Amino acid sequence: MSMENATTRRHCVLCVVGARPNFMKIMPLMRAFAARAPNVIVKLVHTGQHYDVEMNASFFGQLGIPAPDVSLEVGSGSHAVQTAEIMKRFELVVDDHAPDAVLVVGDVNSTIACSLVAAKKGVRVIHVEAGLRSRDRSMPEEINRILTDQLSDRLYITEDEAFDNLLAEGIASERIVHAGNVMIDTLLACRNNAVPAVDTLRRVLGNAAEGWVEHGYGVLTLHRPSNVDEPESLRQLLTAIARMSERLPIVFPMHPRTRARIDEFGLGGMFEQSRVAVLGPQGYLEMLGLLDGARLVLTDSGGLQEESTAIGLPCLTLRENTERPVTIREGTNSLVGTDAAAIEAAFGDALSRGRCVERRPRNWDGHAAERIVDDLVAWLER
Ligand code: UD1
């Protein structure tokens, strides 16, 4: 190889997305690659794990993510079917592109499926949002996190605990970089463009929307299998929500999994006499607007624990554990579990305290993706 060829060799990185929480993580990375790494060929691969317009296409439009270079269109299935289908199709993409590295984000089935394919083919794996641990192996995401990190060559973490978690699992410290939180990059970049809550609420509430915004409302999201897949726990949770809505109206953008379970268990009438407004899944900018205008959020999502911390919104996490302890230690999050009485007590406390100040754990400053891309380019060239 001539000297010129040696210095101008372009690395190829395949970036993988599949499900809704991946889209806001990849957005700032795509931007940072375009702005800072002209010598890296970046291809975006979408597995199609999430495919509905409101779970998928609306995010690409709102966030200005380039159209995927490759779409695998796997769709839904059991964990084994979905993971296997992604692996089969992704292997052909790796063969086609012969990338220098595969970059995965988060903890969804697409994350582990593509990491496994890459690692077995001797292609380096880069994991963004590595090292988070709930220590609850009944969560599919926990299995995905542990295995993806074991397969990864470069691990970008969002909080200090992740470093200790990875060391405890035998991962060498030289592979780990505390880069910050790419999801907060996206939040800070998009916050000024959020759709005002009143516009979103008017579509379901008509003229009553103004009153909700003026007097305050809470936001609820629920989709963890542990909360929605078992009829009795789901019924108890929804009963508690209906009761709490007597004190503060609640906006509930419903995940398709949750809607399917509510229909299957015949729980569709639970909110009839209550002040719960059920919406379909919301776009990113609509959700940001709803959160900005809310008095609190009740959720079992991972991302919302972080986003609420950054915007100073009290967050009640309806789970027994969290993989994001920094949101409790330095943020606005409280782990309240799934017992109805405990949730209602925490709800009352949070209402009496009101909004919190915005918190920024280390490197949650809007520049995480830039740090990742700079480090990655240097690492690829090593
Ligand atoms: C997945 C992720 C979870 C993430 C969540 C955010 C895994 C293991 N879980 O969970 O970490 O927090 O996405 O949404 O990867 N469905 C639709 N339309 C869609 C997508 C899904 O109707 O566009 C329905 C299907 O019936 C599907 C169900 O929702 O069976 C669940 O989807 P799936 O991707 O399997 O898992 P999520 O519960 O969304």
Side-chain angles (χ1 to χ4, degrees):
M1 201 189 277
S2 73
M3 271 311 283
E4 193 189 355
N5 280 345
T7 51
T8 56
R9 184 178 121 60
R10 301 183 73 198
H11 293 282
C12 172
V13 177
L14 296 184
C15 294
V16 175
V17 290
R20 184 172 63 176
N22 293 164
F23 306 140
M24 34 288 208
K25 292 171 193 163
I26 212 69
M27 178 269 223
L29 289 163
M30 297 303 284
R31 282 197 187 171
F33 274 119
R36 308 166 86 90
N39 280 332
V40 178
I41 301 165
V42 178
K43 300 281 179 195
L44 184 61
V45 180
H46 190 336
T47 65
Q49 177 175 345
H50 285 176
Y51 43 85
D52 283 349
V53 171
E54 24 350 318
M55 298 291 285
N56 170 37
S58 86
F59 289 81
F60 277 74
Q62 287 191 340
L63 298 176
I65 304 169
D69 298 284
V70 184
S71 293
L72 303 181
E73 299 181 1
V74 294
S76 300
S78 69
H79 284 274
V81 167
Q82 191 174 59
T83 308
E85 213 40 65
I86 297 169
M87 289 179 68
K88 276 162 66 183
R89 299 182 194 194
F90 188 63
E91 178 166 49
L92 304 177
V93 182
V94 174
D95 288 343
D96 239 23
H97 289 80
D100 297 282
V102 167
L103 181 151
V104 296
V105 297
D107 56 14
V108 301
N109 286 342
S110 304
T111 311
I112 176 61
C114 295
S115 304
L116 195 48
V117 170
K120 291 238 179 139
K121 286 186 160 289
V123 176
R124 288 176 286 182
V125 177
I126 302 151
H127 188 199
V128 174
E129 199 188 84
L132 298 181
R133 296 291 181 268
S134 66
R135 312 205 191 306
D136 174 2
R137 289 200 185 195
S138 69
M139 282 178 85
E141 295 82 0
E142 183 75 353
I143 309 280
N144 294 343
R145 293 181 196 118
I146 294 168
L147 298 180
T148 301
D149 287 338
Q150 282 299 324
L151 298 170
S152 294
D153 298 284
R154 198 85 181 145
L155 301 95
Y156 295 104
I157 63 172
T158 52
E159 56 176 276
D160 294 331
E161 277 86 346
F163 187 78
D164 299 329
N165 293 339
L166 293 171
L167 288 194
E169 291 171 17
I171 297 189
S173 61
E174 310 81 69
R175 295 182 172 191
I176 308 169
V177 179
H178 189 322
N181 193 325
V182 285
M183 220 173 51
I184 303 303
D185 291 4
T186 302
L187 183 143
L188 297 177
C190 293
R191 203 171 175 190
N192 288 340
N193 298 326
V195 175
V198 72
D199 294 345
T200 304
L201 292 179
R202 205 177 280 120
R203 280 190 266 129
V204 271
L205 297 170
N207 291 337
E210 271 85 2
W212 280 44
V213 169
E214 196 181 324
H215 301 297
Y217 62 86
V219 173
L220 166 72
T221 81
L222 270 186
H223 76 284
R224 293 273 155 228
S226 56
N227 279 337
V228 305
D229 282 2
E230 206 276 307
E232 190 45 32
S233 350
L234 182 57
R235 196 188 60 75
Q236 283 182 21
L237 260 180
L238 299 184
T239 307
I241 300 295
R243 234 182 350 247
M244 286 185 281
S245 77
E246 290 164 17
R247 299 171 66 185
L248 181 73
I250 291 177
V251 181
F252 186 6
M254 202 182 277
H255 189 282
R257 166 192 282 277
T258 309
R259 187 176 291 277
R261 296 298 177 267
I262 287 179
D263 291 348
E264 185 185 334
F265 305 150
L267 298 173
M270 299 236 9
F271 292 142
E272 260 159 30
Q273 300 304 318
S274 66
R275 294 197 297 164
V276 177
V278 175
L279 284 60
Q282 293 299 297
Y284 184 74
L285 299 177
E286 285 80 3
M287 196 64 191
L288 219 48
L290 285 174
L291 295 172
D292 250 336
R295 286 177 62 187
L296 54 78
V297 60
L298 300 133
T299 190
D300 59 9
S301 142
L304 275 172
Q305 297 171 47
E306 297 180 340
E307 289 165 337
S308 55
T309 286
I311 65 170
L313 177 66
C315 176
L316 306 182
T317 294
L318 310 181
R319 287 173 44 190
E320 305 297 340
N321 50 57
T322 179
E323 59 288 329
R324 293 164 160 91
V326 75
T327 62
I328 294 178
R329 205 185 49 249
E330 293 180 38
T332 61
N333 187 18
S334 319
L335 205 52
V336 301
T338 53
D339 172 71
I343 297 171
E344 287 176 62
F347 181 83
D349 287 349
L351 272 187
S352 58
R353 280 198 306 272
R355 293 264 318 197
C356 315
V357 288
E358 300 182 1
R359 311 286 179 84
R360 295 290 146 73
R362 179 154 82 97
N363 287 341
W364 292 25
D365 58 356
H367 300 288
E370 295 160 20
R371 281 189 284 272
I372 290 172
V373 166
D374 290 352
D375 175 82
L376 198 55
V377 168
W379 178 73
L380 284 169
E381 283 169 3
R382 236 177 260 160

